[in-house]
Amino acid sequence: MSAGGRCGVGDRRVACPPPRVTAPPPRPRAAGPPPRVVRRRTDLTALCAATAFFWLSLTPSLVPRPWVLQGVVGGITAAVGYAAGATVSGLVRAVVPWRPRAEARRALRVRARQAYWLLSPALTGWLIAESAQMQRRLRRLQGLPPSLTWHTVMIALFAVALCALLLLAARLVRLGARWLIRALGGWLPRPVAVGAGLALTAVVVTVGLRDVVFDRGVVDAADRIAAATDRGTKDGITRPASPYVSGGPGSLVRWQDLGYQGRNFTGTAPTRRSLTAFTGRPAKDPVRVYVSSRLPRAFAGGADEDAPFRAQARLAVRELERTGAFTREVLAVAGTTGSGWIDSNVAQSLEYLHGGDTAIVAVQYSYLPSWVSFLVDKEKAGKATRALVDAVRARLDALPPGDRPKLVVTGESLGAYAVEASYGSVEALLAGTDGGLLLGTPHFSPVARQVREERDAGSPVWRPQYRGGLHVRVAQFPAVDLRRPAAGPWARPRLVYLQNASDPIVWWSPDLLFERPEWMDEPLGPDVTPEINWFPVVAFWQTTVDMAVSYGVQAPHGHRYGSAAVDGWAAVVPPEGWTEQDTRRLRAYIAGRKTPY
């Protein structure tokens, strides 16, 4: 190569190519494991929190529960505890910069895990055994045999399996969110990708749980089962021969159109003969009118969503007129539960009390189970019953005052809410009726809530005294409770609440998640164990599960009210000459007979 920048090959001279510039070799990456998308091992802090929550779930609640449901409560609350513990652990790591040395941290982690796996199984087994003793004491308190099957190992395994499934679902959601954020990170700045990924994940999870799992899964399955049941009839119940009940001869509502609960209600009306045999006096065939939820769709149209309810009410009034209901001594408007159920004890107590000189009318707004109706049809309960109350009231107002039957209202559980939603306040209910009997009224019912919130000072929430008991009284043991206060007058109209202190349907509320309820304050109700306590989240799930087993006890406990309706009606609307001895005799008869449905 010449100095002038010419390269020679033999005698030839050509231009030299520019020197080749090579990039520096890549720097070797530090050795180590790939970044983790999900935590490979459980967080010890979260694990301890989950175990502590499970221990708290072993405490007793309002009613005794079987070991399977104890496993359900334990698994759900353990998963909630794990989430809380993991959140706290993550916040501490993010806020506190100090860390011990690696060797010390590793040794501490090993020792802590060893201590956990050594102590937690032993403590868990002991506490489950103790919970069995608490359940037995609660059973004795509520008049149940103390014998109890309480599978310690199965409760623990069931709770662990359910908690693991919930944690797996949560981790899959987190995994999906991180993958989505990584995918969006190729097109968007990091903060935007994180926000968009979390928002999309929240939308997918919400829509999936609400529309797919709940609406198309749980609700559709419940709807199919309930619809199949609604087409049937309880064994032993046949079409009535009485022209005074819906579905009977001359009825405007066909027997096959009444639905399962409607056929149960109208097909079990007592006869004049049975009423006479009990009372020893001439009796009448009672009137029972029932309009199912399917009928108004056939003759009510238009864009007005309340039209079907008004159509139901108009048909019910026509049926009342056909049966001569407006000439009876007492006319009762009954609110129904989600499935359309009416308590036969409540209906027959009123009919036997008055020797059949009664009429009971009800409309069905849904055939779904009450817990599903509460979630999807609760507004229908108030609208349907309000339309019926308005139509009946308008027809009564057209009669001369001296020729009108006494108008009373009744309902149990969601049926009681339906009645209360029709009036909205104590004053409106008393002004618009001649009295009422409401049983097991849910916590969200407006009139019962007013009675509890405005109760007289010194009276407990589970037995509230409202304005000296002048018009409203609450009872669990009505033979005693309805006489309180002994010195105070009891004017008419009268509103009686049958409310058990241990009824979870009365006390269930989302507020239980983070607020201690008044019904856990001293003094406790007569059938509430002193071992009950409130813990955030735990008490909510315990009471939720209690609702599923609230019928597993005997009256007057849980959601069982038995023959107490006899005392309630005798106080609200007694016939002339009715005595305390008559009440005891009728109470014994209602309690001793086989419930027709």
Side-chain angles (χ1 to χ4, degrees):
M1 178 176 178
S2 63
R6 306 287 292 180
C7 298
V9 180
D11 295 332
R12 298 178 61 189
R13 296 289 186 267
V14 296
C16 291
R20 181 177 297 172
V21 180
T22 58
R27 299 176 61 182
R29 296 181 64 180
R36 291 181 292 179
V37 180
V38 249
R39 186 186 299 276
R40 291 188 182 131
R41 65 172 65 185
T42 54
D43 184 284
L44 183 59
T45 303
L47 203 58
C48 291
T51 305
F53 269 60
F54 172 74
W55 291 344
L56 295 178
S57 75
L58 297 172
T59 56
S61 48
L62 286 169
V63 292
R65 53 182 178 266
W67 69 267
V68 174
L69 292 183
Q70 177 57 62
V72 171
V73 174
I76 294 174
T77 53
V80 173
Y82 189 94
T87 301
V88 171
S89 178
L91 289 175
V92 170
R93 286 194 299 268
V95 173
V96 180
W98 178 83
R99 296 286 186 279
R101 289 180 300 176
E103 296 81 0
R105 187 165 62 249
R106 190 179 304 112
L108 180 62
R109 185 185 302 120
V110 169
R111 296 293 176 84
R113 286 186 176 274
Q114 288 175 343
Y116 172 81
W117 290 113
L118 178 65
L119 295 176
S120 64
L123 287 173
T124 298
W126 174 65
L127 289 173
I128 293 178
E130 284 296 309
S131 72
Q133 295 300 324
M134 290 187 284
Q135 290 290 327
R136 292 187 180 97
R137 287 191 286 270
L138 178 58
R139 290 174 65 86
R140 283 194 294 268
L141 183 64
Q142 298 188 2
L144 294 174
S147 58
L148 174 69
T149 301
W150 203 248
H151 298 291
T152 301
V153 176
M154 292 303 298
I155 289 174
L157 291 178
F158 201 98
V160 168
L162 180 57
C163 180
L165 286 175
L166 295 174
L167 292 183
L168 176 62
R171 289 197 170 193
L172 289 175
V173 170
R174 185 172 66 179
L175 177 63
R178 291 190 175 182
W179 278 345
L180 182 58
I181 291 171
R182 286 188 176 185
L184 293 175
W187 291 277
L188 300 173
R190 175 69 178 175
V192 178
V194 171
L198 293 176
L200 287 174
T201 302
V203 169
V204 169
V205 171
T206 302
V207 172
L209 289 176
R210 184 190 61 194
D211 295 349
V212 179
V213 176
F214 184 73
D215 288 346
R216 299 182 184 178
V218 175
V219 173
D220 280 359
D223 182 81
R224 288 192 296 270
I225 295 171
T229 301
D230 200 52
R231 292 191 290 269
T233 304
K234 184 176 175 62
D235 292 342
I237 295 178
T238 58
R239 184 184 178 187
S242 171
Y244 298 102
V245 299
S246 296
S251 173
L252 302 177
V253 182
R254 298 186 307 168
W255 172 251
Q256 56 266 38
D257 291 333
L258 283 172
Y260 179 78
Q261 297 295 355
R263 287 188 286 274
N264 290 343
F265 175 62
T266 64
T268 58
T271 64
R272 177 174 50 187
R273 179 178 300 178
S274 63
L275 292 170
T276 299
F278 175 80
T279 62
R281 299 186 299 272
K284 298 181 179 180
D285 287 311
V287 173
R288 288 190 180 186
V289 170
Y290 192 96
V291 180
S292 70
S293 60
R294 64 179 66 183
L295 280 174
R297 298 190 181 98
F299 54 81
D304 185 358
E305 63 179 10
D306 293 339
F309 305 129
R310 291 195 294 271
Q312 275 185 309
R314 288 194 299 271
L315 179 58
V317 169
R318 289 170 55 202
E319 185 80 337
L320 288 171
E321 292 173 336
R322 180 192 70 82
T323 57
F326 294 105
T327 65
R328 298 299 175 106
E329 179 69 20
V330 178
L331 171 57
V333 175
T336 63
T337 64
S339 62
W341 177 79
I342 297 173
D343 190 343
S344 64
N345 289 336
V346 174
Q348 289 195 1
S349 295
L350 180 64
E351 291 162 341
Y352 275 89
L353 193 77
H354 286 273
D357 196 10
T358 59
I360 303 175
V361 59
V363 295
Q364 179 190 36
Y365 54 87
S366 170
Y367 54 74
L368 293 170
S370 288
W371 66 271
V372 181
S373 292
F374 166 73
L375 296 173
V376 301
D377 282 340
K378 188 173 74 170
E379 292 76 13
K380 291 183 180 180
K383 290 180 179 180
T385 308
R386 186 180 303 112
L388 177 62
V389 166
D390 291 344
V392 170
R393 183 78 263 177
R395 183 65 181 82
L396 288 174
D397 289 343
L399 298 174
D403 295 336
R404 299 172 188 171
K406 295 177 181 177
L407 176 63
V408 294
V409 291
T410 187
E412 182 171 339
S413 194
L414 203 54
Y417 161 77
V419 169
E420 292 198 3
S422 303
Y423 292 94
S425 69
V426 174
E427 293 76 17
L429 195 154
L430 293 174
T433 70
D434 293 296
L437 174 63
L438 302 176
L439 303 84
T441 311
H443 186 267
F444 50 83
S445 302
V447 181
R449 186 172 61 245
Q450 178 184 352
V451 170
R452 294 170 192 141
E453 292 177 351
E454 299 178 8
R455 67 186 186 275
D456 296 345
S459 62
V461 70
W462 47 267
R463 193 75 71 250
Q465 180 175 296
Y466 183 76
R467 298 182 182 178
L470 181 62
H471 290 284
V472 181
R473 297 194 180 182
V474 182
Q476 179 170 353
F477 306 97
V480 176
D481 294 335
L482 291 181
R483 296 175 178 173
R484 298 173 179 168
W490 196 3
R492 300 187 186 277
R494 295 175 176 178
L495 175 59
V496 168
Y497 279 98
L498 298 181
Q499 174 180 293
N500 295 336
S502 58
D503 188 348
I505 292 176
V506 171
W507 306 122
W508 182 90
S509 168
D511 295 341
L512 286 169
L513 283 166
F514 305 109
E515 183 179 336
R516 180 184 176 89
E518 289 184 290
W519 51 268
M520 285 193 186
D521 295 340
E522 296 288 347
L524 294 172
D527 57 345
V528 176
T529 174
E531 295 171 315
I532 197 171
N533 212 329
W534 177 82
F535 302 101
V537 179
V538 177
F540 171 82
W541 287 113
Q542 286 180 325
T543 310
T544 301
V545 170
D546 281 348
M547 290 195 294
V549 293
S550 60
Y551 289 96
V553 294
Q554 299 300 319
H557 309 289
H559 199 55
R560 293 278 193 179
Y561 291 91
S563 60
V566 173
D567 297 80
W569 283 129
V572 172
V573 58
E576 186 176 354
W578 189 262
T579 66
E580 184 64 32
Q581 183 180 357
D582 294 328
T583 299
R584 289 194 296 269
R585 181 168 170 261
L586 180 55
R587 187 195 310 131
Y589 174 78
I590 294 294
R593 89 202 193 295
K594 182 180 179 181
T595 305
Y597 60 87

